[in-house]
């Protein structure tokens, strides 16, 4: 007699941190230092939550080709039900790019070590994930790197992508002068793994820890997944 | 570092701007931002006058007040690599092309440890991010590189200006701009 056993979901994480300046001098009030430390902290959350594989790309290793390759690899290996966590900590910006009708449109951008990784590129990379894969993006940077902002002109996403951003597209992520303020708020909301609510409640808790001039974003790209949203954050 | 290009075409007019460059590389009178590099000379050990740095001056209103008397030093030991492709003459509809072509160079010039040959100065500013940043002094690194034959058309040369925060200052912002240099 054959038994069909469903494979348990697998968690994969890619945490990117690019601090162009001396991280020691940028040590913030929590004793952590710069964007690379933020990436390490989020990778630590993933590891603690049982992700099977967590990849860190820091500083000079966080180049455009390596980031794209790691996302592609995760897309290839992820199956329905799996979770992929993608985080970016560093500079963000906006680049004028050519839209579908040939006109110039502003795209958010993650400032990687060797250049920008813009929204359409992030979106294209995420479009390779299969249906019912859960993707969580945490983007801790100024007004950029918000995959989906230009989605109407791009490939449809099959996977459900939940995006948490450090601020709105017209805001700066460093408004109080401390690097990684958003990641700090995320970690404070997470309370060393004791947070027990849903993603929406998680976002509300993060919001409560932020100043009024920096409002973190929360939205879906691709098909929303109510079961995903109802889960405890970082649940594989 | 060869300063010939900077000396022969010291007037730079900025047209393309992105990110924080849109807030810093602006003319307070609303015109097109423009500045002129003024050589600062020093006699070497043989008594020969050498250009060692550049001051910066501009007509009133053509740059923000904090650019006044900026002093730029030549730094770096690696020649700036040419762009992958020649840019078209600037017009606003060419912004995506400029953004894409200049992106790797801007990234390289934003890094604290860059070795590219450049002019560099420190720019004090207060930024309007938040109630705290309006009071907190920050200092940006201003870096300029000269690209020969980077643009098609009458003036083939291009100056790229990159702004990034200086180590030790906590406010984060970055930006860039570029424009043609011309003789005095």
């Amino acid at each position: 007699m054959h038994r069909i056993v469903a494979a348990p979901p697998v968690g994969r994480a890619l945490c990117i941190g690019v601090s162009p300046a001396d991280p020691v001098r940028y040590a913030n009030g929590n004793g952590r230092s710069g964007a690379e430390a933020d990436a390490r902290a989020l990778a630590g959350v993933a590891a603690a939550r049982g992700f099977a594989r967590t990849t860190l790309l820091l500083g000079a290793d966080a180049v455009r080709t390596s980031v794209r390759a790691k996302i592609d690899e995760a897309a290839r290996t992820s199956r329905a039900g799996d979770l992929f966590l993608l985080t970016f900590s560093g500079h963000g910006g906006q680049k004028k790019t050519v839209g579908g009708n040939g006109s110039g449109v502003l795209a958010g951008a993650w400032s990687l070590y060797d250049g920008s990784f813009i929204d359409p590129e992030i979106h294209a990379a995420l479009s390779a994930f299969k249906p019912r894969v859960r993707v969580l993006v945490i983007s801790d940077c100024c007004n950029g790197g918000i995959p989906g902002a230009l989605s109407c002109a791009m490939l449809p996403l099959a996977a459900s992508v939940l995006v948490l951003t450090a601020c709105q597209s017209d805001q700066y992520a460093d408004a109080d002068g401390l690097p990684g303020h958003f990641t700090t708020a995320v970690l404070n909301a997470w309370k060393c793994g004791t947070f027990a609510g849903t993603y929406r409640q998680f976002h509300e808790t993060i919001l409560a820890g932020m100043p009024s001039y920096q409002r973190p974003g929360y939205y879906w790209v691709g098909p929303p997944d109510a079961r995903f949203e109802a889960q405890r954050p970082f649940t594989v | 570092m060869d300063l010939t290009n900077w000396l022969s075409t010291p007037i730079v007019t900025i047209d393309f701007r992105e990110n924080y460059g849109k807030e810093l590389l602006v003319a307070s009178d609303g015109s097109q931002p423009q500045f002129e590099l003024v050589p600062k000379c020093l006699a070497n050990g043989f008594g020969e006058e050498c250009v060692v740095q550049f001051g910066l001056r501009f007509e009133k209103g053509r740059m923000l007040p904090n650019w006044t008397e900026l002093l730029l030093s030549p730094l770096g030991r690696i020649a700036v690599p040419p762009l992958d492709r020649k840019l078209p003459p600037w017009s606003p509809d060419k912004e995506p092309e400029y953004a894409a072509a200049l992106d790797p160079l801007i990234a390289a010039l934003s890094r604290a440890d860059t070795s590219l040959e450049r002019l560099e100065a420190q720019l004090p500013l207060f930024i309007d991010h938040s109630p705290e940043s309006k009071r907190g002094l920050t200092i940006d690194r201003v870096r300029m590189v000269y690209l020969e034959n980077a643009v098609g058309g009458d003036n083939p040369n291009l100056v790229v200006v990159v702004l990034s925060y200086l180590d030790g200052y906590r406010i984060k912002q970055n930006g860039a701009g570029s424009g043609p240099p011309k003789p005095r």
Side-chain angles (χ1 to χ4, degrees):
Chain A
M1 187 173 102
H2 294 284
R3 289 171 57 191
I4 298 172
V5 179
V10 174
R12 297 172 183 81
L14 172 60
C15 300
I16 306 160
V18 185
S19 290
D22 177 354
V24 176
R25 293 188 185 186
Y26 276 77
N28 68 20
N30 292 337
R32 297 184 300 104
S33 54
E36 294 182 17
D38 290 345
R40 287 182 196 279
L42 292 169
V45 170
R49 292 292 285 150
F51 280 58
R53 184 164 186 186
T54 300
T55 303
L56 270 170
L57 285 178
L58 304 177
D61 292 330
V63 295
R64 287 167 42 80
T65 51
S66 63
V67 168
R68 181 61 196 254
K70 293 296 181 189
I71 297 175
D72 288 348
E73 181 188 337
R76 267 197 315 277
T77 52
S78 292
R79 295 171 303 178
D82 287 354
L83 174 65
F84 177 56
L85 170 65
L86 173 63
T87 76
F88 175 75
S89 306
H91 270 311
Q94 292 182 318
K95 294 266 181 195
K96 191 67 86 62
T97 186
V98 179
N101 59 1
S103 62
V105 291
L106 268 182
W110 286 347
S111 296
L112 300 180
Y113 190 79
D114 64 340
S116 300
F117 198 47
I118 61 175
D119 282 349
E121 294 174 305
I122 300 170
H123 191 98
L126 295 176
S127 70
F129 282 85
K130 301 174 186 75
R132 293 191 291 121
V133 173
R134 294 166 297 145
V135 178
L136 174 62
V137 178
I138 297 179
S139 178
D140 187 358
C141 62
C142 295
N143 57 21
I146 304 174
L150 302 170
S151 59
C152 57
M154 293 183 281
L155 291 169
L157 294 186
S160 300
V161 181
L162 177 58
V163 185
L164 305 180
T165 63
C167 58
Q168 304 298 310
S169 60
D170 60 347
Q171 293 179 331
Y172 294 95
D174 49 353
D176 68 348
L178 294 175
H181 186 78
F182 173 65
T183 298
T184 300
V186 168
L187 296 174
N188 287 342
W190 183 235
K191 287 186 179 171
C192 299
T194 61
F195 180 84
T198 65
Y199 277 102
R200 177 68 74 177
Q201 291 164 335
F202 189 50
H203 174 65
E204 288 165 1
T205 307
I206 294 167
L207 273 177
M210 300 292 288
S212 60
Y213 47 81
Q214 187 181 332
R215 309 308 291 163
Y218 176 101
Y219 58 89
W220 289 94
V221 186
D225 181 339
R227 287 182 63 186
F228 179 17
E229 192 167 37
Q231 290 174 334
R232 189 176 165 226
F234 311 109
T235 296
V236 174
Chain B
M1 180 174 162
D2 183 0
L3 301 176
T4 306
N5 283 330
W6 295 111
L7 290 165
S8 59
T9 52
I11 297 176
V12 178
T13 308
I14 299 294
D15 38 35
F16 164 76
R17 295 171 299 136
E18 69 172 23
N19 291 333
Y20 211 68
K22 290 189 172 175
E23 296 181 53
L24 275 183
L25 283 167
V26 295
S28 51
D29 66 2
S31 62
Q32 193 170 13
Q34 185 184 80
F35 57 81
E36 179 180 355
L37 298 171
V38 183
K40 176 182 173 179
C41 297
L42 191 65
N44 65 17
F46 297 101
E48 301 157 338
E49 286 285 308
C50 301
V51 176
V52 291
Q53 288 172 308
F54 288 92
L56 189 142
R57 71 181 171 206
F58 50 89
E59 293 171 23
K60 190 166 188 261
R62 295 299 294 268
M63 296 293 288
L64 293 177
N66 58 341
W67 289 75
T68 306
E69 296 177 356
L70 211 62
L71 190 61
L72 294 127
S73 301
L75 295 173
R77 54 188 165 72
I78 297 175
V80 178
L83 301 180
D84 291 341
R85 58 187 179 276
K86 197 169 262 196
L87 286 163
W90 167 258
S91 65
D93 65 312
K94 299 289 188 270
E95 189 174 330
E97 210 167 329
Y98 272 64
L102 296 176
D103 189 63
L105 179 59
I106 292 168
L109 287 167
S110 298
R111 292 201 284 272
D113 61 351
T114 187
S115 298
L116 294 179
E117 290 183 338
R118 72 230 179 237
L119 300 182
E120 181 168 326
Q122 297 180 357
L123 182 73
L125 65 149
F126 294 94
I127 54 180
D128 190 13
H129 286 189
S130 66
E132 288 86 352
S133 71
K134 285 179 180 175
R135 292 195 186 89
L137 170 69
T138 192
I139 294 183
D140 257 12
R141 236 176 354 226
V142 179
R143 287 170 168 167
M144 298 183 198
V145 295
Y146 196 105
L147 297 173
E148 278 187 281
N149 294 314
V151 183
D154 293 341
N155 187 348
N157 303 318
L158 187 72
V159 168
V160 180
V161 183
V162 175
L163 304 149
S164 58
Y165 61 103
L166 185 71
D167 299 3
Y169 284 84
R170 288 184 162 189
I171 304 296
K172 296 195 293 183
Q173 67 288 312
N174 57 353
S178 71
K182 64 178 185 180
R184 184 173 292 116

